[in-house]
Amino acid sequence: MADRLTLELATPTKLVVTAEVDEVVVPGSLGYFGVLPGHAPLLATLGIGEVTYQSGREQYHVAVSGGFAEVRNDKVIVLADTAETPADIDRARAERARDRAEARLAGRGQDEVDYGRAVAALARAVTRLQVAARAQ
Ligand code: ATP
């Protein structure tokens, strides 16, 4: 068993992170789960949230939404629909997306589909603002 993990985090169009790490925490669609060296093989779908990984004393955060994660042989592959490091995040855009989603959720006469979309858009925006704030 290796004492570290290899993390590869990518979207369909971009390799966002490739690193040797000590621990990874992943936002699965059923909740967050942690991966340490020696973890059993696993395939999970991703929700909306932060991937956090630790390398030595440093912790890093990436906002992700949708996709899947695979753990096998001390390698963690995260293929996300969207992924942004703190440096990638446009805060003003995320604030606008949050405000739009909140306004939709506060409105009346919305159907179920619009409600679900607004909840997901709000979760993406809030996650992006959280990850951006961690860079400060
Ligand atoms: P918006 O309404 O602002 O487009 P969204 O949540 O609908 O937000 P997504 O569909 O999740 O956006 O993402 C579309 C693309 O834009 C992805 O490549 C994603 O990484 C990027 N993106 C979305 N919001 C931001 C942001 N605030 N800063 C940087 N990149 C962003």
Side-chain angles (χ1 to χ4, degrees):
M1 184 183 98
D3 61 354
R4 299 191 95 194
L5 298 159
T6 303
L7 171 65
E8 285 180 11
L9 193 163
T11 69
T13 55
K14 190 178 173 198
L15 180 60
V16 180
V17 176
T18 173
E20 298 295 309
V21 306
D22 300 306
E23 183 180 0
V24 187
V25 177
V26 178
S29 50
L30 298 177
Y32 279 84
F33 59 90
V35 181
L36 292 166
H39 197 288
L42 170 87
L43 184 62
T45 52
L46 293 182
I48 297 169
E50 291 180 44
V51 170
T52 299
Y53 60 96
Q54 182 120 9
S55 187
R57 290 174 171 220
E58 294 293 321
Q59 251 195 6
Y60 303 87
H61 303 272
V62 183
V64 298
S65 71
F68 68 88
E70 181 188 46
V71 180
R72 198 154 54 97
N73 294 334
D74 289 316
K75 185 163 182 176
V76 182
I77 297 174
V78 179
L79 183 57
D81 295 342
T82 68
E84 303 95 32
T85 66
D88 297 329
I89 291 170
D90 176 340
R91 273 174 208 240
R93 176 175 169 179
E95 282 167 3
R96 287 195 300 274
R98 178 197 60 196
D99 293 349
R100 263 195 324 273
E102 282 179 347
R104 282 189 191 120
L105 291 171
R108 293 182 187 277
Q110 303 276 328
D111 63 23
E112 286 288 316
V113 174
D114 282 345
Y115 181 80
R117 276 180 61 178
V119 168
L122 181 59
R124 291 193 300 274
V126 168
T127 297
R128 286 175 177 131
L129 291 169
Q130 275 170 359
V131 167
R134 291 191 183 278
Q136 288 180 326

